[in-house]
Amino acid sequence: MSAFEFLRKPLDPAALGAALADVAAGGFVSFEGWVRNENDGREVLRLDYEAFEELAVKEGASIVAEAIERFGVRGAHCVHRLGELGLGELAVWVGVASGHRAEAFAACRYIIDEVKHRVPIWKKEHYRDGDSGWVNCERCAEAAHQHHDHR
Amino acid sequence: MARIRLRYYALLREQAGRNEELVNTAAGDAAGLYDELAARHGFSLGRTQLKVAVNAEFADWSRPLADGDEVVFIPPVAGG
């Protein structure tokens, strides 16, 4: 399996965790990102995810390799959904197996944080009021028009 | 003139009204190409808010463009 993958069908966390089984690992940590029903005070009904897959899988695999190297864990894997997702669905899964728990927690945190910042994946939210928007892009555009700094 | 293939994603795809296009450009680098296409398609995002990839690798905006390059402008990402 590749260290970072995309799937267009529901993720199976039990199977993903089992694939990291290792008798030398004393700890396993996973993170699940779920589709939440609100963002910034707006009621969200569903999401669309899309990615520049060719670059995203390379960047994602680099992040997982960095985590393994930096924290000395035994195995790590990250899978991200693409396409349309409903509320409560599993959007991203990170799993780390390690000799001891501290490195497993740290590596898991590193992977999800870096994936959110570096991997070319985009999320469009569809709101209860019928509006929709690309997360981190629409306000950015408004800010640019108003010549405000964006963060 | 260089012949460049563009692929668009997310907000830029919607604003360009297409997934990809081929353009002949006199722009010397990726920054000049974005300015040219932003004017043509009315992109709302400023260049400082984007990254750019050339041939599926992150690149500098000042990278000179060559015939046949594939360029992707990367809006602010939102995985997870």
Side-chain angles (χ1 to χ4, degrees):
Chain A
M1 78 191 169
S2 172
F4 182 95
E5 295 174 292
F6 287 110
L7 271 187
R8 286 181 166 73
K9 57 183 187 185
L11 308 186
D12 178 351
L16 289 167
L20 286 170
D22 177 350
V23 294
F28 169 78
V29 168
S30 66
F31 171 80
E32 297 185 5
W34 298 352
V35 178
R36 192 180 52 219
N37 68 355
E38 74 82 36
N39 190 21
D40 248 336
R42 302 188 74 177
E43 190 177 350
V44 173
L45 299 181
R46 63 184 173 85
L47 300 179
D48 296 321
Y49 281 104
E50 71 178 70
F52 174 14
E53 290 185 63
E54 196 179 352
L55 177 56
V57 293
K58 285 192 284 191
E59 189 70 3
S62 295
I63 290 166
V64 173
E66 287 161 20
I68 290 171
E69 164 87 22
R70 181 180 296 211
F71 300 102
V73 297
R74 296 188 58 86
H77 189 201
C78 179
V79 186
H80 204 294
R81 275 290 297 278
L82 290 179
E84 183 178 326
L85 275 74
L87 298 180
E89 280 201 79
L90 177 49
V92 58
W93 183 92
V94 180
V96 178
S98 172
H100 300 279
R101 68 185 181 282
E103 309 88 89
F105 277 111
C108 188
R109 177 72 188 259
Y110 178 85
I111 291 168
I112 188 61
D113 286 352
E114 294 296 306
V115 165
K116 286 174 86 86
H117 284 115
R118 288 164 51 187
V119 180
I121 299 168
W122 300 277
K123 171 163 56 185
K124 186 175 197 176
E125 294 177 332
H126 297 268
Y127 306 107
R128 166 77 67 190
D129 62 15
D131 196 10
S132 62
W134 292 99
V135 174
N136 296 338
C137 286
E138 312 286 350
R139 289 215 185 130
C140 242
E142 285 167 24
H145 283 158
Q146 292 160 15
H147 305 289
H148 288 165
D149 287 336
H150 172 76
R151 54 152 287 129
Chain B
M1 297 287 277
R3 189 164 175 81
I4 306 296
R5 177 180 294 277
L6 279 301
R7 281 196 281 162
Y8 294 115
Y9 292 93
L11 185 62
L12 295 180
R13 174 174 53 70
E14 292 183 349
Q15 292 180 341
R18 67 202 73 193
N19 296 322
E20 57 178 49
E21 67 180 334
L22 282 169
V23 299
N24 290 303
T25 181
D29 59 16
L33 179 61
Y34 183 75
D35 293 345
E36 190 179 305
L37 292 167
R40 183 181 308 169
H41 295 306
F43 293 149
S44 60
L45 294 167
R47 184 158 53 76
T48 55
Q49 297 164 302
L50 307 178
K51 292 182 178 174
V52 63
V54 179
N55 302 330
E57 302 281 354
F58 287 112
D60 290 331
W61 285 103
S62 59
R63 176 189 167 122
L65 295 174
D67 218 35
D69 278 348
E70 184 167 292
V71 174
V72 177
F73 300 115
I74 299 176
V77 303

